[in-house]
Amino acid sequence: MNAVNEQTIPVKVTTARTIEFAIFRHNPFDDNSEPHFESYELEEADSMTLFIALNEIRAKQAPSLQFDFVCRAGICGSCAMLINGRPGLACRTLVSQLPAKVTLMPLPGFELIGDLSVNTGKWMRGMSEHLQTWIHSNEETNIDAIEEKMAPETAEQIYELERCIECGCCIAGCGTAQMRPEFVGAVGLNQLARFKIDPRDNRTDAQFYALVGNEDGVFGCMTMLGCEDFCPKELPLAQQIAYMRRAMAVAGVS
Amino acid sequence: MLFKNALTSPRGPAVMDMLQSVSGIILALFMWAHMFMVSSILLGNDAMYWVTKMFEGEPIFGKGYPILVSLFALFILSLIILHAFLAMRKFPATHRQYRTLHKHLGGVRHTDSYLWYVQVVTGFALFFLASVHLYQLIMHPADIGPFASSDRVWSGRMWPLYLILLFVVELHGGIGLYRVMVKWGWFMGKDPKVGRKRLTLAKWVLTLFFLVLGLLTLAAYMKVGYEHQDRAGERYLPAAYSQVNRAPQGESH
């Protein structure tokens, strides 16, 4: 007989911790609202994410608590917040990895909608319009013809950078972006790198230089590397900024 | 011209960014080379004397010209001024920026963000520490040698400055070289995340090495200076003092 069959699966008996959540509360549209922290206690459950915890707090303790969620799976980028001071996605953060006291704050650098909810969309749109993060082609597209072929390596490179979900963690994690609100941040530079790689985009380096060849752009980056280290999608942001910096340095002096 | 319109033309940001990196790289590498030269005292007074004479051009001209040291020090000082001018653009400038930065750093508790701030603080300190050191050197280029330098360190009471300068400059240069490589994406290898870890390790090993070497070197100058304090100002002559070193009780010349 196989000995394994006689063994029972050990049941993990743990005492659930009670977690204290100190959550930033403020409604900027209410003149009487003062920014403050409110504490909520919650018994930790197995595999509980911050997303689950916040929903439970809202359901049972604070019906007016505002926070953003859509996908619950780290794809939509809505639920980024400061978790004990560090930017991260609430839906991808396990409560078990946090200490017994958790402080939650809205992402800094974005317009506050209320409590933990910020308007990253407005910021991202402004950045996108400023940097023109779409394909600029001189050619008329014939929508009846078969698409142009692209080298698989190029397609994969573009796909890798396209994984950005515009959650805003790289802006909240960047000392430069925090000190200098005009800085386009890793999200902007990464997106422009993505279009620079794309063979369908006909913009020259001189044109890219006009967009980011300044200190609000790539030369404003001070390599604090918060973007790289806090990106929940683990995008190679430092590498992309270095790539843009090299290209823009050459474009700037030639 | 590369420099001509750096302050007014659109190419300015690119030129300034590159010049900041290039001047920083030269200064950091010079700083390490300088430490090796200065540490020749650890091999004995004769070794340090030989290095001094070499930098005064004796092997080429047959006679030492200390002015060469002054000129080179002037070149280094001008590089420092250029580098400081460019790096100052990155400093926080207003109370609001300092407040935002400190709140940010305290919240994210992130190593590379701290390293950047160490650069700001040490860079600021170097405006003053390096200037004192270099002005002295430019004006008294002949006062370098086993006795002259040691007298300056001990009897001239320069050792507290050199002690602080050692830590400040080693931190600034080491962190700076690491950061410039990540900044431009050099020596990162196939996997940049692994490459960065490797560079971090190399940076700390080198910093530690140069700090230990620097402390030993400073201690050596302090010891020589302490023992020589009664005759401070007297110059080292290899022929005369090699004997003295061998027999400290013997007659001085």
Side-chain angles (χ1 to χ4, degrees), chain B residues 70-146:
Chain B
S70 282
L71 290 176
F72 189 73
L74 259 178
F75 166 69
I76 292 295
L77 182 62
S78 47
L79 266 186
I80 290 178
I81 292 170
L82 174 72
H83 186 73
F85 166 68
L86 294 169
M88 251 170 43
R89 295 171 305 145
K90 312 288 184 183
F91 279 35
T94 60
H95 173 259
R96 180 190 288 268
Q97 287 182 339
Y98 272 104
R99 195 182 64 158
T100 311
L101 181 71
H102 277 251
K103 277 190 171 177
H104 172 76
L105 291 177
V108 292
R109 291 159 287 133
H110 173 243
T111 315
D112 278 76
S113 298
Y114 286 144
L115 286 184
W116 174 82
Y117 204 42
V118 171
Q119 290 287 91
V120 173
V121 174
T122 52
F124 187 75
L126 282 169
F127 288 167
F128 313 103
L129 298 173
S131 301
V132 173
H133 173 48
L134 278 159
Y135 184 81
Q136 187 281 325
L137 200 69
I138 291 164
M139 289 301 160
H140 303 279
D143 288 358
I144 302 173

Side-chain angles (χ1 to χ4, degrees), chain B residues 36-51 146 213 216-217 220-221 236 245:
Chain B
F36 276 124
M37 300 306 156
V38 171
S39 66
S40 57
I41 193 78
L42 294 172
L43 301 177
N45 291 347
D46 286 335
M48 199 261 170
Y49 184 81
W50 182 82
V51 170
L213 185 65
L216 289 175
T217 301
Y221 282 108
Y236 184 80
N245 285 344

